[in-house]
Amino acid sequence: MNMKNLSDASCPIARGLTCVGDAWSMLILRDASLGLTRFDEFRKSLGIAPTILNRRLATLTEEGLLEKRRYSERPPRDEYVLTAAGRDFLPVLILLGAWGRQYRGEGRLARYIDAETGAEIEPVAVDAVTGAKIGTRAIRVATPE
């Protein structure tokens, strides 16, 4: 099954990966969550080639995670701001970062801090129905009928 076919898969993880399944897209969303909006800001932060950045921004916009807004008419310039779907991806990024810190944590690593309290964020995924930490209980997949 190729990536195009994953968008029709019954697995929500597979469908999500069709939007943000590469490192550049996730890092763009990380930077957008931290307030970056402009092409040059993303390029400088990521050290990404302009052609790759153009493609990723276009895909994230088409998929509804970013919204393109014109901020200058002369010369024409656009910025990219998170949509509700893009903002809702932040917990996924923070959890991925916590996993990276635990299992790939050598060297100096950035920390994510709650801007109001100044405390380091220690994310945990919890099932809202049972209150159990995800990963502490067996799961199964219920396929659609």
Side-chain angles (χ1 to χ4, degrees), residues 119-132:
E120 185 170 352
I121 294 172
E122 294 184 32
V124 60
V126 175
D127 174 35
V129 175
T130 64

Side-chain angles (χ1 to χ4, degrees), residues 6 12 43 54 60 75 82 94 100 118 124 128 135 140:
L6 290 179
R43 194 170 55 78
N54 267 326
L60 290 168
L82 291 167
I94 296 297
V124 60
R140 64 182 175 83

Side-chain angles (χ1 to χ4, degrees), residues 31 35-46 53:
D31 283 358
L36 276 60
T37 61
R38 298 186 178 176
F39 186 91
D40 286 338
E41 293 173 331
F42 291 120
R43 194 170 55 78
K44 182 179 178 186
S45 171
L46 299 171
L53 180 56

Side-chain angles (χ1 to χ4, degrees), residues 18-79:
T18 63
C19 303
V20 294
D22 67 273
W24 289 125
S25 295
M26 288 192 212
L27 292 172
I28 290 166
L29 291 171
R30 176 205 63 192
D31 283 358
S33 295
L34 296 172
L36 276 60
T37 61
R38 298 186 178 176
F39 186 91
D40 286 338
E41 293 173 331
F42 291 120
R43 194 170 55 78
K44 182 179 178 186
S45 171
L46 299 171
I48 186 174
T51 53
I52 295 171
L53 180 56
N54 267 326
R55 282 196 304 263
R56 295 309 187 278
L57 288 170
T59 298
L60 290 168
T61 301
E62 288 167 17
E63 294 290 348
L65 287 108
L66 293 175
E67 180 182 342
K68 190 173 173 179
R69 291 187 190 159
R70 178 73 32 112
Y71 71 87
S72 172
E73 291 297 331
R74 289 190 179 180
R77 298 270 191 254
D78 297 311
E79 64 182 355

